Amino acid sequence: MRGILRMTVTVVVATLCCCHLYAQSKVSGCDSLFENPQNGNQKSTPYIRSGAYNGSAPWTQAHSFVLSGKVMDGAHRPLPYAVISIRGKERVCATGMDGSFSVRLLPDTYAIEVSLLGYKTEFFEIRIDKDTKVEWTLKEDYKLLGEVLVVAPNHAQQTQEGVYNAKSLNVRPYAASNSNLNQLMSYTSGVRIREDGGVGSSFDLSLSGLGGNAIRYFIDGVPLTSLGSGANIANLPINIVDRVEIYKGVVPPELGLDALGGAVNIVTRKEGKNFLDVALNGGSFHTYGADVSGEYRHANSGFTLRGNGSYTNSRNNYMMKGVEVWNAAKNEYEIGDYRRFHDGYQSISGEALIGFTQTKWADEVLMGVYYSQSKSEIQTGFSQQLVIGAAERHHDALRFSFNYSKRDLLVKGLTAKFFAAHTQDHVLHVDTTFRKYSWNGTYTEVYRNEVMGRANKILRHTLRPTTVVRTNVAYTLTPLSSINFNYTLTANQNRRRDDYDQTFIPSNDYLARHILGLSYSRYFWDDRINSTLFLKDYIFHAKVEQQDMYWITGGREVDPEMTRNHIGYGLGVRVSFTKEFALKLSYERATRLPTAREFLGNGASIYPNFKLRPERAHNLNIALYGIWAINPSHQVNYEGTFFVRDVTDYIRRKIEGDDVSTYDNVGAARVLGGEVDVKYRYKNLLDFAFNATYTDERNKSARLPDGRIDITYNNRIPNTPFFYTNTSLGISLQDPFDVKQSQLRFNTSFGYVHWFYLSWAAFGTNESKAVIPTQTTTNIGVVWSFNNHRQSIALSCNNVFDEVNYDNYRLQKPGRSVFCKLTTFIN
């Protein structure tokens, strides 16, 4: 496998070199894009490369001038893909990602039309008799904007046309729905999200075969861990999110973390205008909540205030079907249906930002404070055979942050971004009851605590002060090439103490990860080839004090202070032959350093492992995609992907008891698989999507660490789905029932997950093996929005047919549930 990967990389690099030589040989002899004054003939092109002029014959340079500039919105933000057309001429160009364009024209007076979906078309008349620089502004057309948000998310197209195996999920159309980010992402090809229970439960996300800690999470390019250990994508308020970028396998170096299986980057809303957005929601299992977000910006000075807040509460008392309860009178277990009784979740969070935006000296300079607090009642362990009735987990986090960004800093083409944050993160595990519960709520007194199964009651505090620093510098070398440098520091302390267990020895450990990334991007062949080469450096530094449970943690077998260094590299290539047919390939020699949770534990149910080694992997993606526009009414978007993940020093969670575990290196794993994603749209009326994912993830360690033969060699990795599909259908009606400026949208989705083994296939007989059965889930929903999407009401029903479904370690998921949401947007 490694030989195949090395050969593939060699072929791609050689292809890039050949394309580079070909492009250089063509520049001096390319066709003119404007009138030839010597023969009067006219040549034109329907498209000029975004943000730059493609070149011209030498004899025309003395007779022409350059018209260049930027297209911005009302908040002075760049508008990519705005179309600049010259009336009476067959010439069109489009702006680049920074809103810039450049075109060479003969001296004359021109009528120019500037247009972009979601904005009012503007017309300008301009005299060209010298090199001219302009800045044009487009105003939003709210009616068109409402349509384009649902129909044609530009960022999704831009991401698909990039070099990475990535998806961009436009969240704005779903902000009024009852879905959270987890649910929206689960409809994406290659994405599988598995939750331990209801609202606020732990979850595992996998991307094309690899999941758990192999996936890294970001918010606006900054590690999500800066919000504290209690923050995750499931409990972020959806109304603050603009889109979610999902990178599978290969991760851009500018994100700056050590992801092995992929990354999720949440991009928040930045309106650049005054608004207030409020949402109220409620539904089954005593669930209710509220979200609010807003922004104020002074137009002249750029002074900006942003804020958001969220509250969620749920009892999660859904029915557990077919569980065992001991009947002492009959001296046997009986099967019955019982409600969960100790699974409540409550959280509150809020953030305030103050500073300046879109000024001459900064695009954005903001100082912020963020606070969150949550309480989780613990109902089960890794298996629902363990029933817990009193233990709890509390989180609270306080973060102070500073953010600065500026395009064209000091020199044109230089963009700089800087972010720094310090978070006081605190976790409290409460396990002070010596009881053994049953699903009917009864219990017996025992001589051990509920979670850890030890003879000591605990009030275990873990204080984890976290510092995150990110610096990103990008420079446009030429209209066809650019470089990017990124540095990210994530540093965690691990202060532990116990207010109850007098035998516990406090400690203060330290873990820091420095990630440096450098990339070079270049266009070839009139924009048809887009390529990126990158290099990464991973530095791991740790100081260890804790010595308790040393026979499990390895605390006496490692140096008290250690530093490790690893180098990674990769490339990405996209070749567009036609609009209907494009090919892209990405490869990375990736490293994933142990996380604070894996290396230092969580203070209670997860023990540290100071002997953990970083995971290493060869990641390869090959994708074929395109768009077929049958006619203006019908459009089909397709993508098919093949991927390989070849992992060594694979880190996997090992279960030591009912709710106690540790992370360990368990050898090697190999993942082969593929994805298919097809979307169809008919006008603004109907949209249909289908995707399917197949993964073959197997243990590739022939021997155990002690030299014995591993009987699970070549077995599928257990407790991992390997085939699943998603289907969705949506119907949108404009101005239904003669209600003007309104939209009524019906949607339904169907999910299928094939059965898989809970443990290794090599263990036990066919009759005795634990199996997670085939599962199907059907959801339906309706959203009626008014006043150009400013107010809305949403109703949804999840798991319509009340199927019994399972997730991690065969934990039951909620049955049928109904939710309602009211939203209003004021600007």
Side-chain angles (χ1 to χ4, degrees):
M1 179 59 65
R2 292 187 180 89
I4 295 175
L5 293 172
R6 283 195 293 268
M7 182 180 69
T8 303
V9 173
T10 302
V11 171
V12 171
V13 172
T15 303
L16 282 176
C17 293
C18 292
C19 291
H20 176 71
L21 294 174
Y22 173 80
Q24 296 290 7
S25 68
K26 294 291 288 182
V27 166
S28 61
C30 64
D31 291 335
S32 170
L33 302 180
F34 42 85
E35 294 180 4
N36 183 338
Q38 293 185 357
N39 56 24
N41 295 329
Q42 179 174 310
K43 290 185 178 181
S44 63
T45 180
Y47 176 72
I48 299 175
R49 199 195 75 80
S50 299
Y53 170 62
N54 276 1
S56 62
W59 42 263
T60 62
Q61 298 293 328
H63 302 274
S64 62
F65 299 100
V66 174
L67 172 65
S68 62
K70 287 188 175 183
V71 178
M72 318 291 283
D73 66 7
H76 203 69
R77 295 175 301 188
L79 293 177
Y81 291 164
V83 176
I84 294 108
S85 58
I86 302 173
R87 302 190 71 177
K89 307 288 184 181
E90 295 180 357
R91 290 176 212 151
V92 178
C93 70
T95 58
M97 293 302 297
D98 60 351
S100 67
F101 70 93
S102 177
V103 60
R104 187 175 290 275
L105 298 168
L106 293 174
D108 203 347
T109 299
Y110 295 93
I112 296 178
E113 176 183 304
V114 185
S115 61
L116 178 64
L117 281 174
Y119 294 83
K120 295 179 180 179
T121 299
E122 299 288 349
F123 299 91
F124 303 92
E125 186 174 288
I126 189 167
R127 173 67 184 172
I128 302 296
D129 53 13
K130 61 180 179 179
D131 289 346
T132 305
K133 205 168 188 181
V134 297
E135 184 174 297
W136 290 325
T137 301
L138 298 184
K139 296 179 180 179
E140 288 181 337
D141 186 318
Y142 289 105
K143 184 175 181 181
L144 289 176
L145 185 62
E147 294 175 358
V148 73
L149 283 175
V150 175
V151 176
N154 284 333
H155 286 288
Q157 298 170 359
Q158 295 167 22
T159 302
Q160 187 180 49
E161 293 170 1
V163 299
Y164 302 105
N165 183 19
K167 296 284 187 181
S168 180
L169 175 62
N170 188 26
V171 176
R172 296 289 284 276
Y174 306 100
S177 72
N178 288 299
S179 301
N180 59 28
L181 290 181
N182 266 2
Q183 292 170 323
L184 292 178
M185 291 176 56
S186 66
Y187 301 140
T188 306
S189 63
V191 177
R192 184 64 191 162
I193 296 179
R194 308 167 64 200
E195 297 176 305
D196 290 348
V199 177
S201 64
S202 300
F203 71 93
D204 175 81
L205 182 148
S206 65
L207 299 177
S208 301
L210 293 180
N213 294 323
I215 311 301
R216 293 289 186 252
Y217 302 92
F218 302 83
I219 182 165
D220 292 325
V222 175
L224 188 61
T225 53
S226 68
L227 296 181
S229 58
N232 58 59
I233 59 175
N235 57 29
L236 284 176
I238 193 173
N239 66 336
I240 70 169
V241 180
D242 179 71
R243 66 185 185 276
V244 178
E245 299 169 346
I246 304 169
Y247 297 90
K248 305 171 189 177
V250 181
V251 177
E254 53 266 27
L255 284 181
L257 272 188
D258 50 331
L260 193 75
V264 175
N265 182 34
I266 299 161
V267 181
T268 60
R269 291 168 58 178
K270 298 174 180 63
E271 299 286 346
K273 59 188 177 185
N274 302 336
F275 78 95
L276 181 66
D277 195 348
V278 180
L280 303 174
N281 63 82
S284 300
F285 318 127
H286 297 83
T287 301
Y288 55 91
D291 299 317
V292 60
S293 64
E295 179 175 329
Y296 167 79
R297 182 179 184 274
H298 187 264
N300 293 332
S301 66
F303 175 74
T304 301
L305 284 172
R306 289 180 189 160
N308 65 80
S310 179
Y311 175 78
T312 302
N313 191 299
S314 180
R315 287 176 59 183
N316 286 319
N317 58 337
Y318 59 88
M319 190 70 71
M320 297 290 291
K321 298 180 179 180
V323 294
E324 294 181 339
V325 172
W326 178 254
N327 187 327
K330 295 183 179 180
N331 197 34
E332 63 182 19
Y333 282 101
E334 293 181 338
I335 305 298
D337 299 342
Y338 299 92
R339 288 198 175 276
R340 295 168 80 97
F341 58 89
H342 185 70
D343 198 22
Y345 173 77
Q346 185 180 72
S347 71
I348 186 170
S349 65
E351 183 176 28
L353 297 164
I354 185 171
F356 295 86
T357 59
Q358 301 302 327
T359 67
K360 291 182 178 180
W361 48 277
D363 295 336
E364 189 173 83
V365 54
L366 295 169
M367 292 183 293
V369 58
Y370 168 88
Y371 178 76
S372 67
Q373 184 182 80
S374 66
K375 172 188 173 182
S376 303
E377 297 176 341
I378 303 174
Q379 179 74 92
T380 62
F382 290 111
S383 166
Q384 63 188 40
Q385 304 304 317
L386 174 65
V387 185
I388 297 173
E392 297 176 349
R393 182 168 51 248
H394 301 255
H395 286 95
D396 61 87
L398 177 65
R399 184 187 82 167
F400 297 94
S401 64
F402 174 79
N403 183 43
Y404 173 84
S405 64
K406 181 69 173 73
R407 294 186 301 272
D408 295 333
L409 178 66
L410 301 179
V411 296
K412 184 175 177 58
L414 179 65
T415 299
K417 298 179 180 179
F418 176 79
F419 176 89
H422 182 75
T423 308
Q424 291 292 338
D425 185 36
H426 172 231
V427 182
L428 171 64
H429 289 268
V430 180
D431 192 3
T432 58
T433 303
F434 283 10
R435 293 176 179 175
K436 183 178 181 179
Y437 280 85
S438 296
W439 278 115
N440 61 1
T442 62
Y443 62 86
T444 57
E445 300 289 344
V446 294
Y447 296 97
R448 61 185 182 88
N449 58 20
E450 291 189 282
V451 176
M452 301 184 68
R454 300 178 64 184
N456 297 313
K457 299 179 179 181
I458 67 169
L459 284 173
R460 187 70 47 82
H461 295 268
T462 301
L463 285 81
R464 192 164 284 168
T466 301
T467 300
V468 172
V469 177
R470 178 182 184 248
T471 300
N472 184 272
V473 179
Y475 183 61
T476 302
L477 298 171
T478 71
L480 296 174
S481 62
S482 62
I483 60 172
N484 186 289
F485 171 78
N486 193 91
Y487 166 73
T488 301
L489 164 68
T490 306
N492 303 96
Q493 285 184 275
N494 194 55
R495 303 171 185 165
R496 306 185 308 148
R497 74 172 196 274
D498 198 295
D499 293 342
Y500 206 118
D501 184 3
Q502 300 301 314
T503 66
F504 181 76
I505 302 174
S507 62
N508 185 11
D509 309 307
Y510 176 79
L511 173 64
R513 293 176 295 164
H514 306 262
I515 315 295
L516 296 89
L518 180 65
S519 64
Y520 172 74
S521 299
R522 173 69 193 246
Y523 287 92
F524 302 95
W525 194 18
D526 292 338
D527 248 6
R528 295 184 181 181
I529 296 179
N530 182 9
S531 62
T532 298
L533 293 168
F534 61 85
L535 185 70
K536 297 181 181 180
D537 189 14
Y538 310 87
I539 302 172
F540 177 89
H541 180 70
K543 296 180 182 179
V544 177
E545 284 188 7
Q546 55 181 298
Q547 295 295 319
D548 56 308
M549 307 292 289
Y550 62 86
W551 56 92
I552 294 177
T553 68
R556 297 184 180 178
E557 302 177 46
V558 298
D559 295 331
E561 185 168 357
M562 63 190 83
T563 301
R564 300 166 184 165
N565 186 68
H566 298 273
I567 298 295
Y569 49 87
L571 60 86
V573 181
R574 183 264 296 159
V575 183
S576 296
F577 299 100
T578 66
K579 184 179 179 181
E580 295 78 17
F581 182 81
L583 184 69
K584 58 182 176 181
L585 178 148
S586 57
Y587 164 80
E588 181 178 8
R589 177 55 165 152
T591 297
R592 186 181 77 82
L593 305 175
T595 65
R597 179 183 175 90
E598 294 169 331
F599 190 76
L600 302 174
N602 69 351
S605 59
I606 300 177
Y607 293 132
N609 183 354
F610 302 122
K611 298 186 293 182
L612 272 182
R613 300 181 301 277
E615 289 181 322
R616 303 297 305 278
H618 294 280
N619 288 340
L620 175 67
N621 304 299
I622 302 175
L624 180 70
Y625 71 92
I627 299 176
W628 288 331
I630 303 172
N631 58 49
S633 299
H634 301 271
Q635 179 176 296
V636 176
N637 185 307
Y638 75 93
E639 183 167 348
T641 305
F642 169 76
F643 54 85
V644 180
R645 314 280 184 257
D646 192 6
V647 187
T648 56
D649 285 327
Y650 188 50
I651 296 177
R652 184 172 174 82
R653 195 170 182 176
K654 293 173 57 180
I655 308 303
E656 305 289 349
D658 285 331
D659 200 21
V660 176
S661 64
T662 186
Y663 286 91
D664 199 8
N665 296 106
V666 293
R670 186 217 63 198
V671 184
L672 297 175
E675 305 166 8
V676 175
D677 190 4
V678 180
K679 296 182 176 69
Y680 165 78
R681 180 172 298 281
Y682 173 68
K683 295 184 177 179
N684 291 340
L685 177 65
L686 182 144
D687 55 270
F688 172 82
F690 171 81
N691 63 69
T693 303
Y694 174 83
T695 61
D696 186 29
E697 183 178 3
R698 296 185 182 271
N699 172 28
K700 287 300 178 180
S701 297
R703 294 188 176 274
L704 297 169
D706 59 8
R708 291 179 297 141
I709 294 176
D710 189 345
I711 64 171
T712 67
Y713 173 70
N714 215 35
N715 280 194
R716 287 188 184 274
I717 301 296
N719 193 39
T720 303
F722 62 88
F723 179 68
Y724 44 92
T725 69
N726 293 291
T727 306
S728 64
L729 174 68
I731 299 175
S732 300
L733 304 177
Q734 300 295 328
D735 298 338
F737 311 113
D738 262 347
V739 179
K740 300 301 182 182
Q741 298 182 334
S742 74
Q743 182 189 70
L744 184 63
R745 177 173 173 81
F746 300 91
N747 60 275
T748 181
S749 63
F750 175 79
Y752 169 89
V753 182
H754 192 66
W755 69 266
F756 53 95
Y757 287 123
L758 180 63
S759 56
W760 292 103
F763 295 161
T765 63
N766 288 334
E767 294 77 15
S768 65
K769 292 175 185 176
V771 171
I772 296 182
T774 294
Q775 305 173 53
T776 59
T777 305
T778 303
N779 303 325
I780 60 174
V782 58
V783 180
W784 197 353
S785 58
F786 309 90
N787 191 18
N788 284 331
H789 301 278
R790 287 180 172 84
Q791 287 81 40
S792 63
I793 179 171
L795 295 172
S796 66
C797 180
N798 299 328
N799 195 357
V800 174
F801 301 108
D802 203 22
E803 301 280 351
V804 178
N805 290 329
Y806 301 90
D807 251 330
N808 288 336
Y809 299 98
R810 202 170 184 175
L811 295 171
Q812 270 193 46
K813 300 171 65 174
R816 184 189 299 115
S817 57
V818 178
F819 294 94
C820 177
K821 184 175 181 179
L822 304 175
T823 304
T824 184
F825 179 85
I826 304 170
N827 73 313

